[in-house]
Amino acid sequence: MRGSNFIILCLIVFFTLAIPTEIRCRQVSVISDVKQSYTQAMESAVDDAMDDIVESDSGDVISLNKQFLLDQFYHTLFINLGCTADTVKQNAIKAYIPIVLLVDTDGFYIYYSDTASGVDGETLIAKNWTDKLTFTYVEENGGRIFNFTLGNVVNVYDPNTNHVFNMDYQDLSKLALFNTDDPDNDCYRSSLLCDGDFDTIRRTTIINALTDSMTYYINQHNRVAKQYGFTYHFSLPYISDDDWARTIDDISMVAIFQGYPYVSDAPQLGYFNLYSIGGARIVKPDYYYIMADLQGTEYYHKKNCNRLSSADSSVWNHPYESPKQCAKKGAYPCPECNP
């Protein structure tokens, strides 16, 4: 083979391999840019909704306007995606958001897909909010029903006495009804309240309630979407522990965006599968912690007090919102941090 022919052959092989590689690199770059823009758009939309989520705040009671929140979310999302006047694209984007979750202080709501009949009998996709769903836990011993909140307050129904309680779990644990085993008098010791596992069980219950309900309504979205020719299977994405912690510690919103192709005319390149979480940014009070000194005298401290350096989980798991609460527990103000 002549040298010139060999060079030509090498060039052909090179371009045969290089051109597809270059195309793939460009596609990867395009997909990366598109993913980043949609991720930022979702995060911005959730954050903006959380900024305006509080309709009224009367101190202890916060009322949430779910529809206003949702409208604000979509308004910001469509602005960031450049489709404020494109109702076709807006509806397409909405179809790829199977659920929106709103976590309140004592329960949660899910905005989900359903079907409804139009005026002409045609089946249409409808969107609705669920009623408030609760963070419910049933204790095996005694059958008490606990409805948790995002804090230490818990609502308890005792079927043995038919009594309902709504108060701080630490105060409940001191009642004979909850810390004494006396079946003859319908008293059963509550391991949830008395064994130091309250926060762990509360967090686990909340996360399980959220994941189970989100999975249920995402599967319902699959059934609805299938009627309209969707082949993509929606599912609950993996949510990190840090993000779950954010939903447990504050009023929050979770929006899932899934199944939308990165490039509309080349769906073989893949689909979006992302979620965004935002907190309401409600200002939390300063917390105080009670710890006994070597002589057994209890003092309450600010969070950054040096005397808390040796505190264990039993101290950190029981924060108090005011010096007044601490004083009611019989604790004295720390002379070092002056709470």
Side-chain angles (χ1 to χ4, degrees):
M1 179 182 295
R2 292 181 180 179
S4 58
N5 291 339
F6 179 76
I7 293 173
I8 292 173
L9 179 61
C10 288
L11 289 174
I12 292 174
V13 172
F14 172 78
F15 284 111
T16 300
L17 297 175
I19 291 175
T21 300
E22 175 65 19
I23 293 175
R24 283 194 295 271
C25 288
R26 290 180 180 178
Q27 289 174 341
V28 169
S29 178
V30 169
I31 290 173
S32 178
D33 291 343
V34 173
K35 286 177 66 176
Q36 183 177 1
S37 65
Y38 271 77
T39 299
Q40 291 176 345
M42 286 284 289
E43 291 177 349
S44 177
V46 170
D47 286 343
D48 281 358
M50 290 295 97
D51 282 344
D52 296 319
I53 194 173
V54 179
E55 182 182 60
S56 62
D57 182 353
S58 58
D60 295 330
V61 179
I62 296 174
S63 176
L64 303 179
N65 186 329
K66 301 187 296 297
Q67 193 57 47
F68 176 77
L69 154 72
L70 190 70
D71 291 343
Q72 183 62 38
F73 164 76
Y74 279 126
H75 175 72
T76 302
L77 182 63
F78 296 150
I79 288 176
N80 290 335
L81 295 181
C83 59
T84 54
D86 188 344
T87 56
V88 174
K89 186 174 181 179
Q90 290 178 9
N91 290 331
I93 291 172
K94 288 182 178 181
Y96 291 98
I97 299 178
I99 60 168
V100 175
L101 167 72
L102 173 60
V103 181
D104 202 350
T105 55
D106 58 350
F108 61 101
Y109 307 89
I110 292 180
Y111 191 67
Y112 66 97
S113 300
D114 203 350
T115 55
S117 297
V119 292
D120 56 355
E122 181 184 3
T123 300
L124 304 172
I125 295 180
K127 292 280 192 175
N128 300 292
W129 283 104
T130 64
D131 293 331
K132 179 175 281 190
L133 306 173
T134 57
F135 309 122
T136 302
Y137 174 83
V138 180
E139 195 170 46
E140 292 184 7
N141 182 20
R144 296 186 183 96
I145 300 174
F146 293 80
N147 287 323
F148 294 113
T149 67
L150 300 185
N152 288 337
V153 174
V154 61
N155 180 279
V156 185
Y157 169 67
D158 191 331
N160 305 295
T161 61
N162 205 33
H163 288 161
V164 176
F165 302 84
N166 189 63
M167 54 197 298
D168 189 295
Y169 83 94
Q170 298 173 76
D171 294 327
L172 282 173
S173 67
K174 296 177 181 179
L175 301 180
L177 183 65
F178 293 96
N179 62 27
T180 305
D181 255 331
D182 186 6
D184 293 336
N185 293 307
D186 290 325
C187 289
Y188 298 88
R189 185 179 184 276
S190 171
S191 58
L192 170 65
L193 296 174
C194 301
D195 290 350
D197 296 328
F198 177 86
D199 194 59
T200 299
I201 295 174
R202 180 186 69 86
R203 288 174 175 269
T204 301
T205 299
I206 292 175
I207 291 175
N208 287 343
L210 295 177
T211 54
D212 289 348
S213 295
M214 291 169 74
T215 299
Y216 173 83
Y217 285 105
I218 288 174
N219 286 335
Q220 178 161 311
H221 184 80
N222 278 319
R223 293 190 292 271
V224 173
K226 188 176 181 180
Q227 299 180 39
Y228 291 85
F230 282 74
T231 57
Y232 183 88
H233 181 78
F234 296 85
S235 60
L236 181 64
Y238 169 76
I239 298 178
S240 69
D241 291 341
D242 288 343
D243 281 340
W244 276 129
R246 292 166 63 189
T247 67
I248 291 172
D249 293 335
D250 202 352
I251 293 173
S252 60
M253 175 181 177
V254 182
I256 294 174
F257 184 62
Q258 224 175 56
Y260 197 74
Y262 294 134
V263 182
S264 58
D265 57 354
Q268 71 275 10
L269 296 179
Y271 305 87
F272 284 98
N273 183 6
L274 58 90
Y275 67 89
S276 294
I277 294 179
R281 299 178 187 148
I282 295 173
V283 177
K284 296 179 180 296
D286 292 328
Y287 287 112
Y288 303 88
Y289 300 86
I290 296 176
M291 188 175 73
D293 64 9
L294 295 178
Q295 286 73 41
T297 303
E298 291 189 327
Y299 291 90
Y300 59 91
H301 311 263
K302 295 179 181 178
K303 184 176 182 179
N304 59 354
C305 181
N306 292 330
R307 295 193 180 187
L308 290 178
S309 59
S310 60
D312 57 22
S313 59
S314 65
V315 174
W316 296 114
N317 288 341
H318 299 146
Y320 297 86
E321 293 185 358
S322 70
K324 185 177 180 180
Q325 285 186 347
C326 299
K328 285 183 177 181
K329 299 295 180 181
Y332 298 92
C334 170
E336 181 172 338
C337 64
N338 296 313

